[in-house]
Amino acid sequence: MVNIELKGGVVKEFDDGITAMEVAKSLGMGLYKAACVCRIDGEVKDLRTQINKDCKLEILTFDDDDGKRALRHTASHVLAQAVKRLYPEAKLAIGPAIDNGFYYDFDVDVPFTPEVLEKIEAEMKKIVKEALPLERYELDPDEAIAMMEKKGEPYKVELIKEHAGKGEKISFFRQGEFDELCAGPHVPDTSRVKAFKLTSCTGAYWRGDSDNKMLQRIYGTAFTKKEDLDNYLHMLEEAKKRDHRKLGKELGLFTIMDEGPGFPFFLPNGMVLRNTLIDYWREVHKRYGYVEISTPMMLNRSLWERSGHWDHYKENMYTTVIDDTDFAIKPMNCPGGMLVYKLQPHSYRDLPLRMGELGLVHRHELSGALHGLFRVRCFTQDDAHIFMTWDQMKDEIKGVVRLFDEVYSVFGLTYQIEVSTMPEDHMGDEKDWNFATETLKAAVTEMGKDFVINEGDGAFYGPKLDFHLSDSLGRTWQCGTIQLDMQLPERFELEYTGADGEKHRPVMIHRVVLGSIERFIGVITEHFAGAFPTWLAPVQVKVMAMTDRTRDAVCDIAAKLEAQGIRVETDLRNEKIGFKIREAQMQKIPYMLIVGDKEVENGVVAVRARKGGDLGTMTLDAFEQKINEEVASKTLD
């Protein structure tokens, strides 16, 4: 008999050799039918895994991340099997689960057009109906190579040969006539892949190397319920409309040119948006007691060696030689901040010292990874470094979280906190790590906030809090982070004089709230679908002349609004007013003021709102008061 600890700490006794699937069935048919994989003593396993010793068992459904991955990984096997049935000469590469779906790479002569994808989907549906069990088995490397060579799968042979020298058996999964090289785990049978969709096909080099052959990659997604799939596909369609690259072009925000891949050009409207965002950043940080600094974009090799970047990050850095000395363009602001701290002696009375920096950093990203403003090669990081004593740590963390709360709420963004703990390749004393990690947890707990643990994913220099923002489509973005650092102060020999008159080492917080100005602009462009709230909109008001006779009145009104600091444009064209309104709506301008003979005669303006439609007429003073209040309070539409 074995004792198995289940959810909630309940311990039950079962026969030795029972499978996780049988345990799930004993707990209820609902759980059994929903189960995807299990976790035994923290390790994700197939549900058919036999249990031969006392352990802790978790049954994972699609609601769990590992359950999602297992089902979507199985969907990739179904895809590969369908392709092999339709195109037996296809050569299989790899097919993992990824965020929100899965993909599989194929070496085929036939192009995977939308019509071909429909045929593949139909064959996948047949395989799902067949409810083929996924059965794991192992072969010696020589046997595995022979089998894959016989099947004509050169990419699988290459992968097996890489592991052949390790003396380990090679894991496979079989479903019907289809055998796949795979470590698993998978759901029990293909019928569990109830709702799926192939979403696109692109080219992809084998192993991401442009020297290798270009393969065809089919992307897809899978769910356990058709309703969830339909909702997801609807979200994808909505996301296409909100694509910040498309809106950036339509609204004149930014562009990326062939002359500078990964280096965005900000256009006039984009600069207004960017500067408004930065002005708000500065206003908030001033209230929270930060001072602002600016450090050089390029510093010499000795600094980057001292910080550790030269040894561990050099392949992502742009370097040059000046006066026979190696220099690097900064990929991060932190080392410059260390130098600023060291410029003068500090007392415990000076701490905490909060230094913010809007620093332009450069990182070499592969061309295939570049994506609008989301993945670029230069960006403005809204950094801050807080130097403090160990006993100030908790209060400083709370202060940063309060700042995050204020900023994110202004944009209508909610978040989930993730605590990332000590990785295997950490630096420093484990006792200090434990203290820092528990302080992070205690700070957010005392503020009444929940968090999840991301075990072992902290930076090598300290644990961290990551803030995953949810936008209006429910998508998540990792923007804010609070990282505790016990190592850079040591590397740079930072000191302060304590109340005891002795020298002490401060501890430091790295933190960003927006993460990157550029990326955050991309996020909020999609979040608001380009319809920015009035305080942030590049153009807040468009004043339109209904006839040529009111052109002068329109110009006078625009001048008065500009004098109030309101961002305004005029439309004096000889076009129908309906056309002008529709165009302003397409430009997503919050307010339109329509000026005709009647409005001039009565000393009023006709007001239309982007969302509220016709608001009637009001005096210009009344409208100025309305919009100024909206801007001052940073009201969301």
Side-chain angles (χ1 to χ4, degrees):
M1 303 296 286
V2 290
N3 293 312
I4 299 178
E5 182 183 337
L6 302 169
K7 187 176 180 180
V10 176
V11 177
K12 288 192 173 185
E13 193 174 66
F14 293 91
D15 290 335
D16 188 3
I18 192 170
T19 66
M21 189 186 303
E22 290 168 333
V23 173
K25 196 170 188 178
S26 75
L27 298 174
M29 288 304 294
L31 179 62
Y32 168 71
K33 290 178 179 178
C36 292
V37 285
C38 66
R39 192 180 289 123
I40 300 175
D41 288 335
E43 189 175 352
V44 180
K45 296 279 191 179
D46 193 285
L47 284 169
R48 284 175 291 265
T49 302
Q50 288 188 331
I51 300 172
N52 302 108
K53 63 176 183 177
D54 295 351
C55 66
K56 181 178 181 180
L57 174 67
E58 300 168 80
I59 305 298
L60 305 179
T61 68
F62 191 76
D63 291 334
D64 301 287
D65 288 342
D66 287 319
K68 282 186 177 70
R69 276 190 287 272
L71 182 125
R72 287 169 174 167
H73 193 178
T74 303
S76 78
H77 282 216
V78 173
L79 165 60
Q81 185 176 15
V83 169
K84 289 295 284 187
R85 283 184 177 182
L86 295 170
Y87 307 100
E89 299 305 311
K91 303 291 186 291
L92 304 178
I94 58 171
I98 56 174
D99 288 346
N100 297 319
F102 60 90
Y103 70 78
Y104 209 108
D105 290 344
F106 301 93
D107 185 353
V108 284
D109 295 327
V110 60
F112 285 145
T113 61
E115 292 74 23
V116 170
L117 292 187
E118 286 181 12
K119 284 176 61 179
I120 295 170
E121 269 192 11
E123 191 63 36
M124 289 176 70
K125 288 176 182 176
K126 292 179 185 177
I127 294 169
V128 169
K129 284 184 179 178
E130 291 170 21
L132 302 173
L134 279 87
E135 300 168 327
R136 185 178 183 274
Y137 64 97
E138 293 181 340
L139 295 176
D140 289 326
D142 289 345
E143 294 177 296
I145 290 171
M147 183 175 77
M148 286 293 112
E149 285 179 337
K150 184 177 180 181
K151 289 177 177 288
E153 299 291 357
Y155 299 101
K156 302 297 185 184
V157 171
E158 181 180 329
L159 293 171
I160 295 168
K161 285 181 176 179
E162 288 181 359
H163 289 84
K166 299 178 182 179
E168 301 171 356
K169 286 186 175 291
I170 306 300
S171 171
F172 288 86
F173 276 82
R174 175 175 293 143
Q175 57 196 59
E177 82 287 357
F178 180 69
D179 293 273
E180 173 67 299
L181 171 69
C182 183
H186 287 279
V187 297
D189 63 71
T190 58
S191 71
R192 304 283 179 119
V193 187
K194 289 185 171 62
F196 63 88
K197 178 71 178 174
L198 300 183
T199 53
S200 64
C201 181
T202 65
Y205 292 111
W206 168 236
R207 314 198 96 169
D209 187 340
S210 59
D211 291 333
N212 291 333
K213 186 172 183 179
M214 176 74 79
L215 308 177
Q216 291 193 63
R217 174 173 294 177
I218 297 178
Y219 283 99
T221 190
F223 292 82
T224 54
K225 300 175 185 174
K226 186 178 184 301
E227 179 185 1
D228 291 340
L229 174 64
D230 290 344
N231 289 339
Y232 176 75
L233 295 176
H234 174 73
M235 185 274 288
L236 285 185
E237 287 302 311
E238 185 63 26
K240 285 180 186 177
K241 299 175 192 173
R242 294 167 177 254
D243 190 317
H244 74 285
R245 295 167 298 179
K246 171 177 171 285
L247 290 171
K249 182 178 181 180
E250 293 173 356
L251 302 177
L253 302 178
F254 77 96
T255 188
I256 295 177
M257 303 189 190
D258 292 341
E259 291 82 355
F263 299 95
F265 288 67
F266 274 85
L267 306 178
N269 280 350
M271 282 304 296
V272 173
L273 174 63
R274 179 190 178 97
N275 288 334
T276 304
L277 189 62
I278 287 172
D279 288 345
Y280 172 62
W281 185 93
R282 287 194 165 115
E283 179 257 309
V284 170
H285 283 74
K286 185 176 181 180
R287 279 195 282 107
Y288 277 80
Y290 288 78
V291 294
E292 186 176 352
I293 63 170
S294 177
T295 61
M297 194 181 300
M298 187 183 294
L299 294 163
N300 68 24
R301 173 174 177 168
S302 64
L303 175 79
W304 302 111
E305 287 177 333
R306 192 173 189 181
S307 69
H309 289 90
W310 195 266
D311 293 329
H312 301 290
Y313 202 73
K314 186 171 180 289
E315 68 277 7
N316 295 101
M317 297 166 67
Y318 297 108
T319 61
T320 189
V321 177
I322 303 174
D323 296 335
D324 300 322
T325 301
D326 291 325
F327 275 73
I329 298 175
K330 65 179 179 180
M332 299 172 187
N333 297 309
C334 327
M338 304 301 104
L339 297 182
V340 172
Y341 181 90
K342 284 177 69 73
L343 278 175
Q344 61 188 51
H346 295 279
S347 159
Y348 70 96
R349 294 186 181 90
D350 303 326
L351 305 182
L353 176 58
R354 308 180 189 101
M355 296 195 304
E357 178 173 14
L358 294 165
L360 184 64
V361 300
H362 290 69
R363 299 178 186 177
H364 179 63
E365 300 283 357
L366 296 175
S367 58
L370 301 176
H371 181 77
L373 295 179
F374 290 161
R375 198 71 175 265
V376 291
R377 287 172 168 159
C378 74
F379 56 93
T380 305
Q381 201 165 40
D382 68 313
D383 255 326
H385 298 101
I386 303 174
F387 303 91
M388 59 198 170
T389 65
W390 283 80
D391 59 355
Q392 292 171 333
M393 191 187 298
K394 186 190 292 185
D395 285 341
E396 285 306 300
I397 294 165
K398 288 180 178 179
V400 175
V401 174
R402 280 191 287 270
L403 185 150
F404 284 16
D405 276 342
E406 177 174 339
V407 171
Y408 296 149
S409 65
V410 162
F411 300 97
L413 296 165
T414 58
Y415 62 77
Q416 182 185 56
I417 299 175
E418 189 174 76
V419 178
S420 296
T421 61
M422 185 177 71
E424 288 186 13
D425 62 341
H426 69 278
M427 294 177 64
D429 192 326
E430 190 169 335
K431 178 171 64 70
D432 290 341
W433 271 86
N434 291 337
F435 177 83
T437 304
E438 291 308 313
T439 302
L440 284 173
K441 293 177 183 177
V444 294
T445 299
E446 289 173 17
M447 296 181 75
K449 297 184 181 297
D450 297 323
F451 59 85
V452 296
I453 297 291
N454 187 9
E455 202 68 55
D457 201 42
F460 70 90
Y461 49 75
K464 59 178 180 170
L465 300 178
D466 287 326
F467 289 71
H468 297 269
L469 308 184
S470 296
D471 69 8
S472 56
L473 293 183
R475 299 171 300 176
T476 58
W477 310 89
Q478 204 271 295
C479 292
T481 187
I482 302 173
Q483 302 179 353
L484 289 170
D485 189 346
M486 296 90 77
Q487 302 310 314
L488 271 188
E490 188 72 33
R491 280 177 175 257
F492 282 86
E493 300 176 339
L494 304 189
E495 294 179 337
Y496 70 91
T497 303
D500 57 3
E502 299 296 322
K503 297 294 185 183
H504 298 273
R505 192 78 73 211
V507 68
M508 188 176 76
I509 286 176
H510 303 258
R511 66 83 308 207
V512 292
V513 54
L514 306 180
S516 146
I517 298 294
E518 290 75 8
R519 184 169 183 266
F520 193 76
I521 286 173
V523 170
I524 60 175
T525 298
E526 298 199 1
H527 174 58
F528 292 119
F532 300 104
T534 303
W535 73 274
L536 198 54
V539 178
Q540 295 167 321
V541 181
K542 175 83 67 114
V543 189
M544 307 172 184
M546 191 172 285
T547 69
D548 285 344
R549 293 184 298 275
T550 60
R551 290 165 62 97
D552 290 343
V554 164
C555 292
D556 288 343
I557 289 168
K560 290 176 182 177
L561 293 173
E562 284 178 339
Q564 289 284 317
I566 296 166
R567 298 187 288 274
V568 60
E569 285 184 354
T570 59
D571 190 339
L572 305 174
R573 295 174 300 167
N574 186 21
E575 297 281 1
K576 291 182 178 179
I577 197 66
F579 175 81
K580 294 182 180 181
I581 290 171
R582 282 192 300 276
E583 193 173 79
Q585 289 276 15
M586 292 294 292
Q587 293 167 347
K588 303 183 186 292
I589 295 170
Y591 288 103
M592 292 144 272
L593 302 186
I594 298 143
V595 183
D597 293 334
K598 187 177 179 182
E599 284 76 25
V600 172
E601 182 182 340
N602 295 327
V604 295
V605 289
V607 182
R608 288 188 65 87
R610 179 175 57 200
K611 290 190 73 175
D614 187 1
L615 302 184
T617 60
M618 61 181 73
T619 65
L620 187 60
D621 287 344
F623 175 74
E624 286 175 355
Q625 183 179 350
K626 170 182 171 55
I627 193 170
N628 282 328
E629 287 175 355
E630 196 171 320
V631 169
S633 63
K634 295 183 172 57
T635 303
L636 290 168
D637 285 349

